[in-house]
Amino acid sequence: MRIVKWAAHAAAAATLALLPAIASAQTLKVVMHSDVKIIDPFWTTAYIARNYGYMIYDTLLAVDDKLQIKPQMLEGWKVSDDKLTYTFTLRDGLKFHDGQPVTAEDCVASLNRWAPKDAMGQKLMSFTKELKAVDDKTFTLVLKEPYGLVLETLGKPSSLVPFIMPKRIAQTPGNVQISETIGSGPFVFRKDLWRPGERTIYDKFKDYKPRPEPPSGLSGGKVVHLDRVEWINITDPQTTLNALANGEIDMIEQPVIELLSLLEGDKSIKVVDLNPLGSQVDFRFNTLHKPEDPPGRVLCVEPEGLPGGGLHQPEVLQGVQGAVHLRHAARHRQGFRGQAEFRLRQVKADPQGRRL
């Protein structure tokens, strides 16, 4: 069955583990929302760079589907009674793609490279007195004073994600993009086959050691059922849909709204929502050229057919806040599912211009 995913791509590796319908396939071909142009996950906040990062790197901590912090690369951690010292211990058997073991020094170097680039990382480091490796599997974070967001910072799920890379790569100067793409995640980036503007290819990392727990959000075991994943770059929406219908690709990350009804009408295509939390959307009105208000009246913006204003239209709310029902699951930064009509009308106002 061909699969369309309509949602922000929270984590490619975790997503693949949640798609049993394609578990028997050897290669998965996906059209993503954008093309991979930058391969340094700390260089840009672009979602496609984050998604690329989740394919080839792993994280110390991760959030589950209840947004609770869980260990990922870590076996666990301890916090001193005074809340000033955090001791982190790595799991056994973690390896990078070049066969080298993941060590505490790799973690320290990676965090030191990531933190200056990220707002939460900067704040954490402003509270940090010392971050150092104790032995190959253990490192400590010592604070100047208690800080309540240590774990939440190290387990943050989106741009910029504190991915772990080898120390020698993490020591690349912060003003220089990394050129080596070696992580310890479930897939190996095939830089030799990478064609910017055309395709990005990942092969299964056979020595990846998933956690024993079932996958939940970005946490748990990332069990890979595929030998290869190809991100195909097709910029035209209709061409993308045709490629899916013809079996040339297996999945679309973000189909355009205008074509969604066609996808839902095809019984060979499954439309799924893997991001029930939704996305944040801002409404901005043109205030540069304000319309002239007659004396005692102001212009009021409200959804069509809903006197009194307020965003009560169900599909708009479902689109902005996230939806449980599949029919209302389509939403992202390009707009809403369905029609959200608004109108301007004049209403009575007090001398200060406030609506009566």
Side-chain angles (χ1 to χ4, degrees):
M1 176 177 289
R2 296 185 293 275
I3 296 179
V4 175
K5 171 172 165 282
W6 175 269
H9 200 70
T15 297
L16 296 176
L18 296 174
L19 297 178
I22 58 174
S24 60
Q26 297 301 307
T27 299
L28 180 72
K29 296 184 178 182
V30 186
V31 172
M32 302 294 288
H33 71 276
S34 182
D35 182 42
V36 176
K37 294 182 172 64
I38 296 176
I39 55 176
D40 186 338
F42 301 156
W43 196 261
T44 174
T45 58
Y47 281 176
I48 193 66
R50 174 204 63 186
N51 299 349
Y52 151 85
Y54 271 113
M55 292 290 281
I56 70 172
Y57 298 102
D58 214 342
T59 56
L60 298 172
L61 301 166
V63 291
D64 65 10
D65 58 6
K66 302 293 191 302
L67 300 183
Q68 300 297 310
I69 297 294
K70 301 294 182 182
Q72 193 63 27
M73 297 175 71
L74 294 177
E75 184 66 34
W77 63 87
K78 295 180 180 179
V79 184
S80 63
D81 292 339
D82 59 7
K83 309 298 182 184
L84 293 179
T85 302
Y86 287 72
T87 302
F88 301 98
T89 303
L90 291 169
R91 290 193 288 136
D92 291 329
L94 299 180
K95 292 183 180 181
F96 286 115
H97 298 157
D98 60 1
Q100 295 299 309
V102 178
T103 69
E105 288 192 352
D106 298 313
C107 299
V108 170
S110 297
L111 295 179
N112 282 332
R113 188 172 197 275
W114 157 80
K117 303 277 190 177
D118 180 74
M120 291 186 72
Q122 293 170 16
K123 178 60 68 174
L124 174 60
M125 287 303 171
S126 72
F127 283 85
T128 298
K129 178 180 179 181
E130 184 179 50
L131 176 62
K132 69 174 184 178
V134 176
D135 55 37
D136 286 347
K137 289 184 54 182
T138 309
F139 65 97
T140 57
L141 174 68
V142 182
L143 302 175
K144 303 172 187 175
E145 59 182 281
Y147 180 56
L149 296 178
V150 172
L151 300 181
E152 286 77 7
T153 300
L154 298 180
K156 61 172 299 193
S158 194
S159 315
L160 297 163
V161 180
F163 295 118
I164 302 302
M165 58 186 63
K167 177 182 177 180
R168 60 182 176 80
I169 299 177
Q171 288 179 328
T172 302
N175 62 344
V176 178
Q177 292 189 43
I178 63 172
S179 57
E180 286 189 80
T181 55
I182 296 175
S184 64
F187 287 93
V188 176
F189 174 60
R190 292 296 304 273
K191 189 177 179 181
D192 57 322
L193 300 178
W194 179 39
R195 300 292 182 268
E198 181 182 342
R199 68 184 62 223
T200 306
I201 296 178
Y202 310 88
D203 285 343
K204 177 181 179 179
F205 180 36
K206 296 180 180 179
D207 288 335
Y208 180 73
K209 185 179 179 181
R211 294 192 64 87
E213 303 92 346
S216 175
L218 296 174
S219 68
K222 298 177 182 179
V223 180
V224 178
H225 300 284
L226 304 165
D227 293 325
R228 172 170 288 187
V229 176
E230 297 184 10
W231 289 359
I232 311 298
N233 187 44
I234 304 177
T235 58
D236 179 69
Q238 185 63 58
T239 303
T240 304
L241 188 150
N242 293 340
L244 183 71
N246 295 332
E248 298 169 14
I249 61 174
D250 304 297
M251 179 174 165
I252 305 174
E253 183 191 14
Q254 289 185 345
V256 296
I257 298 169
E258 293 79 4
L259 300 178
L260 192 60
S261 60
L262 296 177
L263 295 171
E264 290 181 323
D266 189 329
K267 294 182 179 180
S268 67
I269 295 175
K270 183 177 181 180
V271 181
V272 296
D273 176 26
L274 298 180
N275 182 26
L277 294 177
S279 301
Q280 179 175 320
V281 178
D282 297 323
F283 290 88
R284 295 183 180 180
F285 298 101
N286 183 359
T287 58
L288 181 61
H289 302 288
K290 180 181 178 181
E292 294 185 4
D293 297 326
R297 303 183 74 83
V298 294
L299 284 174
C300 173
V301 181
E302 62 183 27
E304 182 68 39
L306 294 174
L311 297 179
H312 300 296
Q313 186 167 334
E315 286 197 347
V316 175
L317 287 178
Q318 292 281 7
V320 175
Q321 299 297 334
V324 175
H325 197 284
L326 185 61
R327 290 181 55 201
H328 300 288
R331 72 272 179 264
H332 71 352
R333 62 175 177 266
Q334 292 183 3
F336 302 111
R337 168 74 186 281
Q339 296 294 319
E341 301 292 341
F342 292 84
R343 66 179 179 181
L344 291 172
R345 70 186 184 98
Q346 292 183 348
V347 297
K348 293 181 179 181
D350 62 18
Q352 285 74 41
R354 294 173 297 195
R355 177 178 176 175
L356 297 175

